[in-house]
Amino acid sequence: MRITSVVVALLLLGLHMPVASAQDLADEVAELRVLLTSVQQDYEARISDLEIRLARAEQLASGAKREATEAFDIAEQTAIDQSAGTSAANTFNPALGAVLSGLYSNIDGFELGEAEINLKADVDDRFFGNLTFAVGEEDGEGEIELEEAWLQTTSLPGGVAVRGGRFFSGAGYLNEFHRHVDDFVDRPLPYQAFYDGQFKVDGVKASWVARTSMLFELGAEASTSGETLLANFGGDIGASNSWQVGMSWVKTDPEALIGDGELTLVDFVWKWAPNGNSGQRSFKLQGEHFSSEDSGWYLQGVWQFLPQWRVGLRHDTFEASDRDSVMLDWSPSEYSRLRLQYINDRVLAETDHQWFLQYIMSLGAHGAHQF
Amino acid sequence: MVHISFEDSRMRSLLLLITILSLPVSAHAIEVFACEPEWASLVGELAGEHANVTVATTAFQDPHRLQAKPSLIAAIRKADLVVCTGADLEIGWLPLLLRRGGNPEIFMAADFVRKLEVPKVISRSQGDIHPQGNPHVHLDPRNIRRVAVALAEQLAKMDTENAADYNARFSDFQDRWSDALATWDQRAMSLAGLEIASHHRSFSYLANWLGLDIVATIESKPGIPPSGAQLASLLEILSDKSPAVIIRTPYENEKPSLWLTDHLSVPAIELPYTILGNAAVTDLFTLFDETLRLLEEYRS
């Protein structure tokens, strides 16, 4: 509009030219100059204003674009993760792991340990399954032994869980652990005497965890071997200490376990690590007492003095026999372990000096860190 | 009985009054089990008094090495929602706990961010690697923002009664976070290109955000402490490209870092890494404030 008025003004000026004096002309030119300058400034202001707005809009657009690209990348990667490296048929394969071990002793020379193979997976949204079998040789003949074959509920309300199949009984702290995570090459005397190493039952187990700040758990087992009632308590003391105490009452056929068929167990474990971080140093103290017609107990401590090195001391007795063991193990990673152990064995009349060198290696799926 | 005595109805009203007064003032709060302190803090920001949060680990504990101890079994028993990192960081203990829990909702933060360092070769010969990528995702404030979006949605979905409140808290958090992020980005400009050595790959996301140059990782294969030979070759590599500072988390072994300090004359510091990693870090905002402050002392 301003341009049009300027042009019109110029035209009118042109039409009226002959009458104006020189001074009038100069005045008009000066006026025009001022007008032009202000128009120029006006348009420059508007253009720079537009440029700023354009820059802001570009910035917003590129920011939004970056976010959109990022979101797209994340969605793409999630899709890639879900299909990564596995064909559709194998996607739901159970977690598979194997443990290889071997033992050299001054009594029996080299003995290949059983290879333990474990499969575990969610069956569906209600059940979880676990299968462990041990493959070995006994007297030159191949042998496969079923260690665990159980299913457990995962979604029952009220802190209740039911397990069924073949499982390690909860009677005794050490009993629920696989042998390859033991701190010594062999099981304590009471375990060997009462359980022949490990008490496996075929049956059903129900357990309940109370809604308390300290762990309070009750359990009951009914199996082909008999019945068991158990209770566990546990908690933390500060950031560095954790403990658990358990009690169990086992009632079996007198033939199934030695003694009168009734067994009472008390177990405890105490773990210490600075600030609860077991990376460099830690200490574990555990003990169990078995009483039936006969009784036995053990007490052991394991001290981790370097990130990969641990030393352990154990005293175990059953009836009139007792032994002392000391062990040293080196774990270059979470999955491999070498152990040297000495047992001062006073089970028989003569003291026996036993030396062992053991390797335990774990392949495949990451094992659970049981307490 | 046809007639009810005056005494009886007064008694009944009194009993009713006592019952009402003894009910908890706020409606049922969500029980949250957080695996790491950073997520506990985020839940606190987004949910406030609507959530009771229990944390499984502290800044001084390596989340990878934790065991399924009795206190955690008891804690997860009452959880409605479990908020963890995922990407297999908690694989050694969380699955065991979840099977003992009451079927809580599970929220994995790593699902909502882009993961760095996804390995091409998946084998334990490379150390204790995580197949989905580096799980230490929280040290990039842009990741915190993305996780907050998803977590706020999850909370509102679980507790629809208080959805409006969650939205309000979320908007407030987003505004404060955006402002904080703007100031951090400003400070980050002076840190770009800073050469650092790290004990473990715990700071990859921090380095990615700030543009830090991680010239060496002492633990070249995760989970396997470096051998004498590895440390010697590390010294050789670093003699040309010396870092300005060596960083580690509060739970990592200080010995390898201090050994490197002795041989390179480069300072080794402990970064807070997560909430209460040092006394000044009480929430997610101070986590990044402190981390930047400590690194700024070494900028060239």
Side-chain angles (χ1 to χ4, degrees), chain A residues 13-14 16-33:
Chain A
L13 197 66
H16 289 106
M17 266 286 286
V19 188
S21 69
Q23 184 53 44
D24 285 336
L25 208 62
D27 287 338
E28 306 258 18
V29 167
E31 253 183 61
L32 274 171
R33 273 211 194 97

Side-chain angles (χ1 to χ4, degrees), chain B:
Chain B
M1 290 276 276
V2 178
H3 54 262
I4 302 157
S5 78
F6 183 68
E7 250 81 52
D8 266 358
S9 71
R10 273 181 79 182
M11 193 50 121
R12 254 187 269 131
S13 330
L14 189 66
L15 282 170
L16 189 64
L17 188 67
I18 293 170
T19 316
I20 291 171
L21 287 174
S22 61
L23 284 172
V25 177
S26 70
H28 148 85
I30 308 182
E31 292 288 340
V32 179
F33 179 94
C35 288
E36 290 92 24
E38 56 267 21
W39 308 126
S41 182
L42 188 59
V43 172
E45 298 273 359
L46 298 176
E49 79 266 356
H50 296 302
N52 291 333
V53 188
T54 314
V55 196
T57 63
T58 69
F60 300 95
Q61 292 166 357
D62 186 347
H64 189 81
R65 298 187 64 105
L66 208 70
Q67 295 179 335
K69 48 189 190 173
S71 58
L72 296 181
I73 298 175
I76 208 164
R77 158 76 172 89
K78 57 180 164 72
D80 299 313
L81 172 66
V82 167
V83 180
C84 297
T85 307
D88 289 353
L89 181 64
E90 302 103 353
I91 193 156
W93 48 281
L94 189 61
L96 208 65
L97 290 178
L98 287 174
R99 273 178 248 137
R100 308 302 302 273
N103 219 21
E105 292 285 333
I106 301 169
F107 180 92
M108 295 296 197
D111 289 345
F112 301 97
V113 302
R114 178 155 55 133
K115 288 168 280 280
L116 304 174
E117 296 166 12
V118 179
K120 295 184 184 66
V121 174
I122 297 181
S123 155
R124 293 242 168 82
S125 67
Q126 304 307 309
D128 202 3
I129 55 170
H130 296 275
Q132 290 180 50
N134 190 313
H136 305 280
V137 303
H138 69 283
L139 275 176
D140 181 339
R142 301 165 305 183
N143 283 347
I144 301 276
R145 182 179 55 202
R146 292 177 192 118
V147 174
V149 171
L151 188 54
E153 239 181 80
Q154 172 74 41
L155 289 167
K157 201 167 58 171
M158 283 179 64
D159 186 11
T160 47
E161 248 177 59
N162 294 306
D165 212 17
Y166 290 129
N167 284 331
R169 294 190 72 100
F170 170 66
S171 300
D172 176 59
F173 174 77
Q174 280 289 62
D175 289 338
R176 287 183 294 134
W177 197 252
S178 298
D179 291 340
L181 188 52
T183 57
W184 293 330
D185 279 334
Q186 273 284 91
R187 291 166 74 177
M189 296 203 292
S190 68
L191 288 172
L194 183 68
E195 285 155 345
I196 58 172
S198 161
H199 178 271
H200 175 73
R201 273 178 253 260
S202 324
F203 297 101
S204 303
Y205 291 85
L206 183 73
N208 178 253
W209 168 51
L210 294 175
L212 303 175
D213 183 8
I214 301 187
V215 297
T217 304
I218 302 177
E219 217 183 51
S220 59
K221 290 185 178 168
I224 298 174
S227 68
Q230 284 170 338
L231 286 172
S233 74
L234 190 65
L235 269 183
E236 262 193 63
I237 296 169
L238 292 180
S239 56
D240 302 322
K241 207 178 182 193
S242 190
V245 66
I246 303 164
I247 61 174
R248 66 179 189 279
T249 68
Y251 61 77
E252 282 163 356
N253 190 358
E254 57 178 13
K255 292 211 172 60
S257 299
L258 295 178
W259 183 90
L260 211 58
T261 292
D262 287 338
H263 286 78
L264 285 178
S265 302
V266 166
I269 61 167
E270 189 184 277
L271 289 181
Y273 182 73
T274 186
I275 318 298
L276 292 179
N278 74 27
V281 178
T282 51
D283 59 24
L284 293 166
F285 296 86
T286 46
L287 172 62
F288 289 99
D289 283 334
E290 264 300 286
T291 305
L292 286 172
R293 183 187 71 77
L294 287 166
L295 287 172
E296 277 163 355
E297 291 182 29
Y298 300 96
R299 64 186 157 192
S300 39

Side-chain angles (χ1 to χ4, degrees), chain A residues 101-367:
Chain A
S101 66
L103 189 66
Y104 178 84
S105 69
N106 65 341
I107 322 156
D108 294 316
F110 182 72
E111 252 175 67
L112 188 68
E114 294 166 334
E116 199 181 275
I117 299 173
N118 174 267
L119 286 84
K120 44 161 87 76
D122 283 311
V123 172
D124 53 23
D125 62 336
R126 289 173 211 275
F127 300 101
F128 172 81
N130 188 9
L131 170 67
T132 308
F133 55 96
V135 184
E137 263 183 24
E138 190 76 34
D139 302 324
E141 275 196 30
E143 201 181 72
I144 297 188
E145 208 182 297
L146 189 63
E147 301 266 302
E148 296 179 294
W150 52 260
L151 296 159
Q152 180 161 317
T153 59
T154 54
S155 58
L156 288 182
V160 176
V162 177
R163 178 179 292 193
R166 168 168 296 187
F167 52 91
F168 300 140
S169 170
Y173 171 71
L174 194 58
N175 201 52
E176 285 192 292
F177 286 88
H178 287 179
R179 308 279 291 256
H180 69 260
V181 296
D182 283 359
D183 298 313
F184 292 84
V185 302
D186 62 343
R187 289 236 145 157
L189 285 176
Y191 271 81
Q192 292 182 29
F194 286 105
Y195 286 169
D196 195 20
Q198 193 145 31
F199 185 32
K200 296 187 272 269
V201 297
D202 293 344
V204 117
K205 168 181 178 170
S207 63
W208 169 70
V209 175
R211 275 185 81 114
T212 46
S213 52
M214 199 181 82
L215 175 73
F216 176 63
E217 180 188 12
L218 291 175
E221 296 169 8
S223 68
T224 55
S225 310
E227 293 91 40
T228 304
L229 273 179
L230 42 101
N232 283 321
F233 309 88
D236 288 343
I237 303 173
S240 305
N241 301 281
S242 302
W243 61 274
Q244 186 174 295
V245 164
M247 286 179 280
S248 339
W249 298 269
V250 185
K251 201 165 182 351
T252 67
D253 265 334
E255 281 88 64
L257 290 178
I258 67 161
D260 57 7
E262 273 190 35
L263 176 63
T264 307
L265 270 135
V266 178
D267 61 73
F268 86 93
V269 63
W270 170 55
K271 297 195 187 187
W272 171 87
N275 282 315
N277 187 26
S278 57
Q280 282 84 55
R281 300 277 172 286
S282 69
F283 178 65
K284 172 170 66 165
L285 186 66
Q286 88 191 51
E288 302 187 54
H289 186 278
F290 288 61
S291 60
S292 181
E293 206 174 31
D294 304 312
S295 59
W297 57 272
Y298 78 90
L299 184 67
Q300 74 186 45
V302 178
W303 166 239
Q304 175 195 8
F305 58 95
L306 280 175
Q308 298 174 320
W309 291 87
R310 305 181 323 152
V311 67
L313 202 60
R314 178 182 69 186
H315 178 83
D316 52 342
T317 82
F318 175 71
E319 287 294 285
S321 321
D322 71 337
R323 318 184 293 179
D324 288 303
S325 315
V326 63
M327 78 89 188
L328 177 71
D329 67 26
W330 173 54
S331 309
S333 74
E334 261 190 84
Y335 310 101
S336 58
R337 178 164 281 168
L338 291 178
R339 173 176 293 137
L340 180 65
Q341 180 171 325
Y342 165 72
I343 303 183
N344 186 295
D345 189 323
R346 302 178 293 278
V347 173
L348 304 170
E350 233 180 67
T351 302
D352 206 3
H353 301 280
Q354 300 168 354
W355 287 91
F356 302 87
L357 191 57
Q358 180 188 39
Y359 69 82
I360 309 157
M361 308 277 156
S362 169
L363 295 78
H366 197 303

